[in-house]
Amino acid sequence: MEKELRLMKGNEAVAEAAIRAGTDGYFGYPITPQSEILEYLMEANPGETTGMVVLQAESEIAAINMVYGGAACGKKVMTSSSSPGISLKQEGISYIAGAELPCLIVNVVRAGPGLGAIQPAQSDYFQSVKGGGHGDYHLIVLAPSSVQEMADFVELGFELAFKYRNPVMMLSDGAIGQMMEKVYLSPQKERSSDSPLWATTGKPASRPRNFITSLDLDPYGQEVFNNKLQAKYAEIREKEVRYEEFLCEDAEYLLVAYGTSARVSQKAVQILRGEGIKVGLLRPITLFPFPTKRIYELAGKVKGMLSVEMSAGQMVEDVLLAVNGKVPVKHFGRLGGIVTTPEEVVENLKSKIIGG
Amino acid sequence: MIEATGIKEIIKPENLAYRKTDIMTDNILSYCPGCGHGTAHRILAEVIDEEELQSQTIGVSPVGCSVMMYNYLDVDIQQAAHGRAPAVATAIKRLMPEKFVFTYQGDGDLAAIGTAETIHACNRGENILIIFINNGIYGMTGGQMAPTTLPGMKSSTSPFGRDVKTMGNPLKMTDIVATLPGTYYVTRQSVHTPANVRKTKKAIRKAVQYQKLDKGTCFIEIVANCPSGWKMTPVQSNKWMEETMFPFYPLGDLKTPEE
Amino acid sequence: MAKIKGSIVVNMENCKGCEICMVSCPTGTISMAKEVNGKGYYYAYPANPDLCIGCASCAMVCPDGVITVYKTKI
């Protein structure tokens, strides 16, 4: 079946894609700049068409624990929020990772810390890729840079979540969530009635009881489990790295940016190329796993890199680790909810890397 | 199995009057001697057995002494984060409405950290059974003051007795949820005597029926003992519970369906 | 008149010696052993088996489910 072309906000695209992906349940709580997801779903009322459950919870905490309950039944369930709300969800996310449950969490990032501002930021990078909650765990983190990707990453997110029994975070930002673009939507998928073997669906006589927990009071048992998780993350690092390159083949300088900053950086590359400066852009699509190997390879070809992110310098640490001292790496980004301009990127690449 | 037996001639399969239900596993309960958790687990398991609900049941265990309920009940169980069981159960029931869904929570879990989840699940009238074990103390962490600790009652964090002026008053969650339109059947029971065990089991059976009929939230508080936390023998603790807990948490139905 | 006679079986090793069965028994059938089981508990046992009427009160209140009850009319 053909894809349907629509003009939508990123947040709306997530909601529509969720319905079309055959999602079983969405549990949300209003917070700017992502409330359209819950609003759209309530308006679309997919309970009447696909049977998808849409529920406004009493808090972000309740919403993520509803996701836990649904995921433990083997259902395709998701939630969405923005930075302060995602902080509230971290306990639940840690439990979900610890119980190895698949789910999708969308973070439409706004500026922080605290209540911060409602404008777009990328300052939840550490929280998303380094853990966020307690314990040794990782989310698979997808970073969309367009409305199309916000739609596409719903299905990709669920696919990866179920493949690895691991929570997936779509790390968007207030700009992509709020902007309108054209988007090609996949045809409606049927909700699956099959449940994975591990799910709690009521114990038939034919199998032992299933229980979902993240507890093991025996430290040796817990260590075995921790090692199992680490092996899974190693496999994810091996197989699931995704990134996009723009004019990197002959590049002498490299911008590394994701999400909204990648869009801005792409424009900066065009401006710089117009001036005869050979600049390329590497856009990580997965932030965990991070395209470490590719950045290391490119470090052998370029003279320096600039990590462009709307944070005080978070992803730049992973770029530095990848580059491992081979070439200079600097950071540039506006803070507080201000979107960086291409001209600022151009200026900063020149002053911090080319001239530096 | 090493057994102490009575008159051997009577011990024949055809004379069997009572045995532990198979819905209880053979794992040895981690609870202290005389703790009401075991009895509460068992009668819940008996109802699941007698109503042939094993394949339909999804339970949610809390954080607290009964965190590992999944070791003892031979049904599918999810272990929830502290206090969040009603939210977890909400999603299970919404996504699998044909299943029998219950939560089993202690007073710290349900009435302190999980107050919001409890009240909102009850207020939405989620079609689930909430079993609330109230022993007025945090058992698992070693006997700290709970939201339900009585005024003047000693615990490891109220060593001179609960001073309501500085430590707040005990919270009667069952009374609160009984006022919410979403709850259908709210009762307070105990499991410390054979008669009370029978009543509580009957309450659980009712709740199962109401859930089948999609009536809304059923909430069963079981006032229970904590011999270790209260620093009493099990028999003393039951007596103390009758004399001290029951006047504050009187047994009986708080909300019954209009029939 | 038919008389009801009962008999109980206690899983001694799993008994935690809480005594709740003993105080719940209406006929005084159960006592606590003078010796401990493998876990160090003074386990319950039918000290006066002739008194048992098979009412299952003990089993009903046993937190650890270690008592099985039989009864018959004689």
Side-chain angles (χ1 to χ4, degrees):
Chain A
M1 236 158 70
E2 261 191 42
K3 292 199 171 192
E4 185 186 340
L5 178 63
R6 297 259 285 269
L7 179 69
M8 297 180 108
K9 278 188 173 193
N11 289 337
E12 293 168 345
V14 163
E16 181 60 34
I19 299 170
R20 290 176 183 237
T23 304
D24 294 303
Y26 169 91
F27 305 94
Y29 186 82
I31 181 172
T32 307
Q34 63 81 54
S35 297
E36 292 87 355
I37 300 175
L38 176 58
E39 288 169 349
Y40 186 99
L41 287 169
M42 284 294 184
E43 178 91 31
N45 196 17
E48 294 291 312
T49 50
T50 70
M52 176 181 175
V53 170
V54 182
L55 184 61
Q56 179 169 338
E58 63 270 29
S59 66
E60 285 93 346
I61 296 169
I64 192 69
N65 284 283
M66 289 172 184
V67 166
Y68 180 100
C73 294
K75 301 289 183 184
K76 253 178 160 176
V77 287
M78 63 181 290
T79 185
S80 67
S81 191
S82 178
S83 309
I86 295 290
S87 292
L88 278 168
K89 289 184 193 291
Q90 291 301 335
E91 175 204 40
I93 294 172
S94 172
Y95 275 71
I96 288 168
E100 293 201 271
L101 298 176
C103 71
L104 177 65
I105 304 147
V106 180
N107 184 0
V108 183
V109 181
R110 60 190 253 183
L115 207 46
I118 59 171
Q119 287 79 8
Q122 294 180 309
S123 42
D124 296 355
Y125 178 91
F126 281 153
Q127 187 194 50
S128 309
V129 307
K130 306 295 181 189
H134 59 284
D136 269 324
Y137 74 91
H138 283 289
L139 309 175
I140 296 170
V141 183
L142 301 172
S145 74
S146 63
V147 172
Q148 183 67 55
E149 281 189 337
M150 279 192 80
D152 293 345
F153 289 179
V154 171
E155 204 161 339
L156 174 64
F158 277 126
E159 189 190 311
L160 293 170
F162 276 85
K163 183 174 175 187
Y164 293 101
R165 272 190 73 175
N166 203 72
V168 171
M169 174 167 284
M170 190 196 298
L171 190 70
S172 186
D173 62 58
I176 302 163
Q178 291 295 326
M179 72 167 64
M180 291 187 94
E181 282 185 321
K182 65 179 182 184
V183 52
Y184 290 93
L185 294 161
S186 297
Q188 179 66 48
K189 260 193 173 178
E190 285 233 10
R191 284 172 59 233
S192 168
S193 53
D194 302 335
S195 282
L197 294 174
W198 50 261
T200 54
T201 54
K203 177 204 160 336
S206 55
R207 65 157 167 84
R209 69 185 182 285
N210 284 339
F211 54 88
I212 300 294
T213 184
S214 57
L215 175 74
D216 194 340
L217 288 177
D218 168 23
Y220 296 97
Q222 182 65 28
E223 189 183 45
V224 167
F225 175 71
N226 281 133
N227 285 329
K228 181 188 164 209
L229 280 186
Q230 293 306 315
K232 176 167 82 175
Y233 303 144
E235 189 187 344
I236 292 169
R237 282 187 173 104
E238 190 61 37
K239 294 182 179 166
E240 304 299 343
V241 174
R242 287 167 170 79
Y243 56 87
E244 188 183 65
E245 291 182 19
F246 180 64
L247 304 179
C248 286
E249 284 102 70
D250 63 340
E252 292 177 2
Y253 303 97
L254 188 71
L255 300 176
V256 184
Y258 69 95
T260 290
S261 290
R263 298 171 71 107
V264 172
S265 296
Q266 190 169 337
K267 180 73 186 164
V269 168
Q270 288 165 340
I271 296 171
L272 287 156
R273 289 264 171 184
E275 295 175 14
I277 303 170
K278 288 180 178 169
V279 181
L281 167 67
L282 183 127
R283 175 172 79 90
I285 292 170
T286 52
L287 297 176
F288 183 90
F290 194 69
T292 305
K293 265 189 203 162
R294 184 58 187 151
I295 290 175
Y296 180 76
E297 283 167 15
L298 289 168
K301 298 179 181 175
V302 301
K303 295 175 184 165
M305 296 187 194
L306 185 70
S307 177
V308 183
E309 37 178 329
M310 297 185 295
S311 75
Q314 298 190 16
M315 184 180 70
V316 66
E317 292 193 3
D318 284 335
V319 179
L320 279 160
L321 279 170
V323 168
N324 201 18
K326 271 186 157 180
V327 292
V329 176
K330 299 285 181 192
H331 158 261
F332 171 68
R334 295 295 300 269
L335 307 175
I338 300 190
V339 178
T340 309
T341 65
E343 292 73 21
E344 287 169 332
V345 176
V346 168
E347 191 183 306
N348 275 273
L349 182 77
K350 284 180 180 170
S351 64
K352 289 179 175 165
I353 299 292
I354 300 174
Chain B
M1 186 164 78
I2 309 165
E3 294 165 341
T5 56
I7 300 168
K8 291 221 165 51
E9 298 76 66
I10 301 174
I11 300 167
K12 297 176 191 160
E14 63 266 32
N15 291 340
L16 182 68
Y18 187 97
R19 63 181 277 273
K20 177 174 75 70
T21 163
D22 291 336
I23 300 292
M24 287 298 286
T25 66
D26 290 330
N27 293 330
I28 294 172
L29 297 168
S30 57
Y31 306 118
C32 305
C35 171
H37 271 306
T39 313
H41 281 14
R42 205 187 62 246
I43 56 175
L44 171 61
E46 285 173 4
V47 172
I48 291 169
D49 192 359
E50 289 156 18
E51 301 290 323
E52 297 181 351
L53 286 170
Q54 188 186 31
S55 66
Q56 295 302 307
T57 300
I58 304 172
V60 185
S61 73
V63 170
C65 289
S66 48
V67 62
M68 287 187 292
M69 187 174 66
Y70 49 77
N71 282 344
Y72 312 128
L73 264 65
D74 193 20
V75 295
D76 281 1
I77 289 179
Q78 302 185 13
Q79 195 280 307
H82 201 19
R84 318 301 179 209
V88 171
T90 292
I92 299 171
K93 189 68 182 182
R94 294 280 185 124
L95 289 158
M96 308 193 89
E98 71 285 5
K99 304 292 176 183
F100 168 59
V101 179
F102 72 88
T103 74
Y104 184 102
Q105 304 172 256
D107 42 88
D109 190 89
L110 180 141
I113 193 165
T115 312
E117 285 79 4
T118 304
I119 286 181
H120 283 278
C122 289
N123 198 43
R124 286 190 302 265
E126 297 297 340
N127 191 31
I128 57 173
L129 166 61
I130 296 177
I131 296 175
F132 167 37
I133 307 293
N134 175 12
N135 56 18
I137 206 158
Y138 284 84
M140 189 173 72
T141 44
Q144 293 83 11
M145 186 178 68
T148 47
T149 299
L150 298 176
M153 187 173 161
K154 285 182 182 172
S155 72
S156 68
T157 52
S158 58
F160 310 109
R162 181 176 192 156
D163 172 10
V164 296
K165 265 199 149 170
T166 58
M167 299 168 174
N169 294 281
L171 195 57
K172 294 184 178 179
M173 279 298 277
T174 308
D175 297 63
I176 294 170
V177 302
T179 66
L180 303 174
T183 51
Y184 187 71
Y185 172 51
V186 181
T187 189
R188 185 184 285 122
Q189 302 293 340
S190 79
V191 290
H192 70 302
T193 71
N196 291 100
V197 167
R198 277 193 201 95
K199 281 187 193 168
T200 308
K201 193 171 161 183
K202 202 173 151 196
I204 296 171
R205 200 185 297 280
K206 273 190 197 173
V208 165
Q209 297 310 322
Y210 295 146
Q211 190 170 134
K212 279 185 185 160
L213 297 169
D214 195 17
K215 292 292 188 185
T217 313
C218 292
F219 191 100
I220 301 175
E221 173 179 344
I222 299 173
V223 183
N225 60 343
C226 180
S228 300
W230 297 353
K231 305 196 193 317
M232 295 174 195
T233 68
V235 172
Q236 280 171 347
S237 73
N238 279 341
K239 190 159 179 285
W240 188 86
M241 181 170 74
E242 283 179 351
E243 290 168 355
T244 320
M245 294 280 280
F246 291 174
F248 195 84
Y249 299 112
L251 304 189
D253 290 339
L254 285 86
K255 188 180 200 175
T256 49
E258 291 160 23
E259 276 158 7
Chain C
M1 200 180 93
K3 202 177 165 197
I4 307 269
K5 288 289 284 177
S7 186
I8 61 167
V9 177
V10 180
N11 181 339
M12 281 160 50
E13 275 310 304
N14 287 6
C15 175
K16 292 177 184 161
C18 73
E19 304 183 5
I20 291 176
C21 58
M22 185 174 76
V23 301
S24 299
C25 175
T27 63
T29 302
I30 302 171
S31 293
M32 307 313 289
K34 297 279 181 282
E35 65 208 49
V36 295
N37 64 15
K39 294 201 171 60
Y41 294 120
Y42 294 101
Y43 57 90
Y45 77 107
N48 304 302
D50 291 339
L51 302 179
C52 181
I53 53 170
C55 70
S57 289
C58 53
M60 231 177 289
V61 294
C62 173
D64 293 280
V66 303
I67 304 174
T68 307
V69 184
Y70 297 86
K71 74 172 169 183
T72 186
K73 279 183 196 163
I74 53 167

